[in-house]
Amino acid sequence: MRKIILAGNWKMFKTQAETIEFVQGFKSLVDDAPVDRDIVLCVPFTDLAILSKTLHGSRIQIGAQNVHWAENGAYTGEISATMLLEIGVRYVIIGHSERRQFFGETNETVNFRLRAAQVAGLKPILCVGETKQERDAGNAEAVIFEQLAKGLLGVDQTNLVIAYEPIWAIGTGDTCEVTEANRICGAIRSKLNNSDVPIQYGGSVKSENIDQIMAQPEIDGALVGGASLEPEMFARIVNYKA
Ligand code: PGA
C-alpha cells in the first residue's frame, strides 16, 4: 500500500510572522483530513524552528528544501542533515528544478544529497522532470530516466519519495494533462526496484485540479508550490476528494 503525501513547497516565501499566521489558519482545516495522507510543509530554513515549535504534537510534518552531503565543514551557505533533524525536520526536497536551473545542481550532487539525507534519517523527495524543449523534442522520458539512473545510484528505495514535476508546468498555470502525468509516473515506477515508492505530481496543482490529479492510479500525492502559500487553498488540496 503506497503512502499518499501532500507536500507544500514554499520556496523563498514567508517570514516567521507569516508562518505563524499560516499555521493558525491551516491547522484546524486539516486536523480531520483522512488518515491515509501525510501532510508536509517544506519551508525556508529560517521558518523551520518556529514551525517545529508551533506544530509540536500535530500531524503536519516539516520538510526542508535542500541539504548538504557533508556532516559539517567549510561549506558556506549550506546546511547539514543533523542540523535539520535536530529541529524536527523529517522530509527534504532534493534536486528541485529551480536548484538545478539556478544553483548548479547536477544529477551527481543530487545523488550525494539523497544518500546523505537517508543515512541521517531524513526522507528525501527527489524531483525529476523535463523542460518544454526536451518534451517537444520527444526526449521527456530519456531526460527523466537519466535523472533517475544517476540520481538514484546507491540510494535506498525504501526511504524515498519521487516528485514528477514537468518544468514547463511549474508556476505557469499550465498543468500537465492528468493522463499524461499518470503515464509518466507509471514510467518512473517501471524504473524503480521498489514499486511502493510514492510518486507525486507537481506543477500548477490547485484546489480546482487536485481531485482529478489524485484520481490517477499512478499518482500518490502532490508537491505544491504557489497554492500551498494560502491556508484555505492548501487545506482544500490536502482534503482532496477521493
Ligand atoms: P507550482 O510549483 O505549484 O507553483 O507550480 C510546484 C513546485 O515547484 O514544486
Side-chain angles (χ1 to χ4, degrees):
M1 185 65 182
R2 297 197 301 264
K3 229 185 190 165
I4 292 166
I5 303 161
L6 286 313
N9 172 14
W10 282 4
K11 310 192 178 187
M12 197 174 73
F13 288 97
K14 291 197 192 293
T15 61
Q16 295 191 48
E18 289 164 343
T19 299
I20 294 169
E21 198 185 327
F22 176 94
V23 172
Q24 278 165 356
F26 182 66
K27 210 157 155 258
S28 60
L29 298 175
V30 297
D31 273 349
D32 298 327
V35 290
D36 64 350
R37 36 199 99 165
D38 275 13
I39 311 165
V40 187
L41 292 173
C42 301
V43 305
F45 294 134
T46 49
D47 296 332
L48 290 170
I50 189 84
L51 204 56
S52 177
K53 218 164 127 192
T54 348
L55 291 179
H56 189 72
S58 136
R59 62 180 288 190
I60 305 167
Q61 301 186 71
I62 303 167
Q65 300 172 11
N66 196 15
V67 64
H68 196 264
W69 52 88
E71 266 177 56
N72 50 46
Y75 300 105
T76 304
E78 291 284 332
I79 196 133
S80 78
T82 318
M83 293 168 186
L84 296 174
L85 279 161
E86 187 189 37
I87 52 173
V89 173
R90 292 292 167 262
Y91 283 83
V92 60
I93 297 174
I94 294 178
H96 190 279
S97 61
E98 287 151 15
R99 301 279 334 152
R100 294 178 192 257
Q101 188 184 347
F102 302 124
F103 302 101
E105 194 79 71
T106 64
N107 286 326
E108 193 186 22
T109 55
V110 163
N111 178 254
F112 292 163
R113 294 185 203 277
L114 279 170
R115 286 189 292 163
Q118 288 186 330
V119 167
L122 290 168
K123 190 179 275 289
I125 302 177
L126 164 65
C127 300
V128 297
E130 80 288 356
T131 62
K132 180 91 176 75
Q133 274 160 315
E134 288 161 345
R135 169 159 287 262
D136 290 347
N139 292 333
E141 281 95 331
V143 168
I144 295 164
F145 293 165
E146 188 182 357
Q147 290 170 337
L148 292 172
K150 294 186 172 162
L152 292 179
L153 273 177
V155 165
D156 171 11
Q157 295 190 16
T158 63
N159 180 32
L160 177 70
V161 179
I162 292 180
Y164 168 52
E165 297 207 306
I167 296 169
W168 47 272
I170 295 178
T172 57
D174 193 8
T175 324
C176 182
E177 277 289 319
V178 286
T179 49
E180 175 59 7
N182 185 63
R183 187 183 72 78
I184 298 278
C185 289
I188 291 172
R189 198 175 311 283
S190 75
K191 296 288 171 189
L192 303 178
N193 60 32
N194 174 14
S195 59
D196 285 338
V197 173
I199 304 180
Q200 301 173 305
Y201 168 76
S204 297
V205 174
K206 302 185 233 15
S207 44
E208 297 84 36
N209 58 22
I210 187 68
D211 297 344
Q212 219 193 346
I213 291 167
M214 291 307 299
Q216 301 300 311
E218 295 289 353
I219 301 180
D220 309 315
L223 184 57
V224 186
S228 72
L229 294 169
E230 207 271 308
E232 282 79 28
M233 186 139 33
F234 192 45
R236 173 60 183 85
I237 289 170
V238 167
N239 287 301
Y240 75 85
K241 296 186 176 46

